Amino acid sequence: QVQLVESGGGLVQAGWSLTLSCAASGSIFSINAMGWYRQAPGKQRELVARVTNGGSTYYAESVKGRFTISRDNAKNTVNLQMNGLKPEDTAVYYCSAGRLYGGSYYARYWGQGTQVTVSS
């Protein structure tokens, strides 16, 4: 089992920045990638960004150039730096941990979620 504890989130104005952090503990050896998903009201959960143990990253088109995911393998943490936030970024953001197979990320463990609200 892997436990994920998130921090950050909150209410900001459009154009502002916010950083989400996630600390992993437990059976870290069982994962080789971590990522952030988000779910807006009435919408499906979507992958926002993910990073592998080796530092390979993926970003959803909607956040490319604005969000940066980073991972500290020594501390087992992953951060999501969000710049230029837009009202459409409003969602509950979930930290995840899992494995990358054939280029696809499969999340197995989830954090409790943290609300990000961007006002216009």
Side-chain angles (χ1 to χ4, degrees):
Q1 291 288 331
V2 175
Q3 294 77 43
L4 302 172
V5 178
E6 301 149 344
S7 60
L11 172 63
V12 297
Q13 294 183 358
W16 287 22
S17 297
L18 205 58
T19 300
L20 304 181
S21 297
C22 176
S25 62
S27 303
I28 305 298
F29 61 87
S30 68
I31 64 172
N32 65 7
M34 296 183 71
W36 289 93
Y37 283 76
R38 68 185 180 187
Q39 187 166 19
K43 294 188 176 181
Q44 288 189 330
R45 189 174 296 190
E46 63 171 347
L47 177 62
V48 175
R50 65 98 177 118
V51 60
T52 67
N53 287 1
S56 173
T57 58
Y58 161 87
Y59 295 95
E61 284 295 326
S62 59
V63 306
K64 276 184 180 179
R66 299 189 298 122
F67 290 12
T68 302
I69 190 169
S70 60
R71 183 171 177 182
D72 186 329
N73 289 329
K75 296 181 179 180
N76 294 319
T77 58
V78 61
N79 291 337
L80 185 67
Q81 174 69 40
M82 305 183 292
N83 298 327
L85 283 162
K86 304 175 181 180
E88 51 264 43
D89 294 318
T90 295
V92 178
Y93 284 71
Y94 296 90
C95 177
S96 68
R99 297 193 65 84
L100 199 71
Y101 291 110
S104 295
Y105 174 56
Y106 296 89
R108 182 175 180 182
Y109 303 101
W110 298 90
Q112 76 281 6
T114 185
Q115 177 71 46
V116 172
T117 302
V118 184
S119 63
S120 57

